Amino acid sequence: MLRKILGSVREYKKLSIATPILEAMEVAMECVIPFLIARLVNEIKAGCGMAVILRYGGLLALMALLSLLFGGLAGVSCARASCGLARNLRRDLFYSVQRFSFENIDRFLTSSLVTRMTTDVTNVQNAYMMLIRTAVRAPMMLIFAFAMAFIMGGRMAWIFLFVVPFLAVGLGWVIYKTMPLFRKVFKKYDRLNASIQENVKAMRVVKSFVREDYEQQKFDAAAEDVRADFTRAERILALNGPLMQFCIYAVMVFVLSFGSYTIITSRGLKLDVGQFSALLTYSFMMLNSLMMVSMVFVTIVMAAESGKRIAEVLDEESTLVNPENPVYDVADGSIDFERVSFKYSRKAGGMALEGIDLHIQSGETIGIIGGTGSSKSSLIQLISRLYDATEGTVKVGGRDVRAYDLDSLRNQVAVVLQKNILFSGTIKENLRWGNKDASDEELVQACRLACADEFITQFPDGYDTYIEQGGTNVSGGQKQRLCIARALLKKPKVLILDDSTSAVDTRTDARIRSALREYIPETTKIIIAQRTASVQDADRIIVMDGGRIDAIGTHAELMAGNDIYREIYTSQNKAGD
């Protein structure tokens, strides 16, 4: 986990190394100052002149300025290094998610990924900032201050060695108790974010069913769950403070009482006033360092679980990878399924697709129809290699899809999925997702084929109309047509429409299919639909049932010989006879 996270430091290595060096120099300056003050006190006691006082004063001012300079530089380098690490971590997480296959994405909740990129990265950033600065400063201060205290105070400095084991036991117990709680609370954070995401995304449904109270109660329950676990963890961590305070006051009582006793009984021979004042200063330094160690400890305990969650995403290997020598050219739009079976995960009990043998010629128009859950979408997702077949082989252009470069394959197999997504930006910007170099004329032509031009030109800003996030300012049918136009701009060899005209009227649906037939005759077209009207003029129609191909044929052939197709057609057209 540490190796993965530290791998994101990259260009901030020099700053990360400079910070502890600057901190060490700051600590050295701070530790020399009490020593000089003790010397000055003894000089004044011995009756020194103003020249000596001025010399010591100048040295003390120089040490203070150097300490301030080194501390300021350490703060700047620490801030830049820790913020740089956070930026690189978020970048690496985002890039990792971009490489994920659908199978990988299925393993992580969207809300969990958002939490890992925000809350978890912030926790790691805070911990890293503490590690390269405070976690270096505090132990160095302890070592330097203890050495100087031993020089100035002799045997009295050994009191600090008795305090450390006591603290270690207490902190170890806190770690043992809090780590499981933080592990639980971050998972509950995921569920809390999921509740917020779901509510915002489904706001229209919530309001139309007047379920705001229910959603509020659900959110309150999730928030209360997080609060309860965090309270338990923080309550245990809060013991850290009293433990430190006890040690601090115990040491101070010992140093004050035993130091005073030594000065009085030895008449200043074993310990003079200057040494005693320096010893008190070093005591404060050491105890302050212990408090800083405590703060570092709390931050690291919280960040440890966050680091594991980040490493889980970074360690996740995509189940879809390019071959060593990929093929970049797709010969044509022919598609072959050879004894293909598929399930979404290794743990799945049964196959989503089983025993699929199918051969489609380049340029054919294929309709796919079947009941809900018949695995129509599962079938087409194997063509563009959104998933890999569990058994058997899927070929495009006569080659196994696993032999192709992924980007090259997907550029030639355009898929308009069931869930049509538009991004915030103008219509032109959305369309150019299909081809970033497309000219305005090509945009218009694609939109005319998809019957989108007719409504775009009605907007005051035309193709420069701004689309809100998720396409909320256009209708479902308009969104579908824009997505079809976007796919056409890729000029693919295979075009798959996965129930992509369900929100348009039958007349517009027919016009789109007619335009596709006329303008891209060499492109293989696969149309998944719930309406028989959307597929009945296809070259062949595939009837799916329970993850298997039940029948293949033309509309007339299936009406004559397939019960499932005939039943669907009859129910939709109310033609009982």
Side-chain angles (χ1 to χ4, degrees), residues 66-171:
L66 287 173
S67 176
L68 179 63
L69 175 64
F70 293 139
L73 290 174
V76 171
S77 62
C78 176
R80 291 180 63 188
S82 59
C83 292
L85 170 66
R87 187 200 70 174
N88 286 349
L89 268 179
R90 289 192 176 100
R91 176 186 177 279
D92 293 345
L93 283 167
F94 186 78
Y95 280 30
S96 291
V97 172
Q98 293 298 303
R99 289 192 298 269
F100 282 179
S101 66
F102 279 22
E103 183 178 344
N104 295 116
I105 292 172
D106 291 343
R107 296 176 192 168
F108 296 95
L109 290 172
T110 303
S111 58
S112 176
L113 291 173
V114 171
T115 305
R116 292 171 204 239
M117 288 189 190
T118 52
T119 304
D120 288 332
V121 170
T122 300
N123 288 340
V124 170
Q125 175 187 346
N126 292 336
Y128 188 71
M129 182 171 59
M130 288 279 196
L131 281 170
I132 63 174
R133 191 178 185 194
T134 310
V136 173
R137 174 188 171 84
M140 281 186 175
M141 181 66 80
L142 276 172
I143 294 168
F144 278 123
F146 178 76
M148 296 301 292
F150 195 79
I151 292 169
M152 303 300 291
R155 291 176 297 173
M156 279 196 294
W158 289 105
I159 181 65
F160 299 105
L161 292 183
F162 289 102
V163 171
V164 172
F166 178 73
L167 281 174
V169 172
L171 295 179

Side-chain angles (χ1 to χ4, degrees), residues 310-338:
I310 291 170
E312 280 178 4
V313 179
L314 295 177
D315 285 333
E316 182 78 8
E317 294 290 338
S318 176
T319 56
L320 301 180
V321 294
N322 274 344
E324 289 186 10
N325 299 301
V327 177
Y328 292 95
D329 294 321
V330 180
D332 55 44
S334 61
I335 301 167
D336 299 285
F337 284 76
E338 298 176 351

Side-chain angles (χ1 to χ4, degrees), residues 38-50:
R39 294 284 298 273
L40 177 60
V41 169
N42 290 335
E43 291 284 356
I44 294 171
K45 184 180 174 183
C48 69
M50 185 58 68

Side-chain angles (χ1 to χ4, degrees), residues 421-490:
I421 300 295
L422 293 176
F423 299 90
S424 52
T426 64
I427 289 176
K428 282 184 179 179
E429 289 169 345
N430 270 277
L431 292 172
R432 286 196 171 108
W433 271 69
N435 178 4
K436 62 181 180 180
D437 300 318
S439 65
D440 288 351
E441 291 75 17
E442 288 175 316
L443 297 183
V444 172
Q445 184 186 22
C447 288
R448 283 175 179 164
L449 291 174
C451 296
D453 180 69
E454 58 192 37
F455 71 80
I456 294 174
T457 53
Q458 300 300 314
F459 294 142
D461 295 324
Y463 282 82
D464 292 314
T465 300
Y466 189 83
I467 299 294
E468 301 293 342
Q469 184 179 12
T472 55
N473 59 332
V474 290
S475 70
Q478 291 171 339
K479 191 186 299 185
Q480 285 186 337
R481 282 178 276 176
L482 286 172
C483 289
I484 292 171
R486 182 173 63 189
L488 289 172
L489 283 167
K490 294 179 75 171

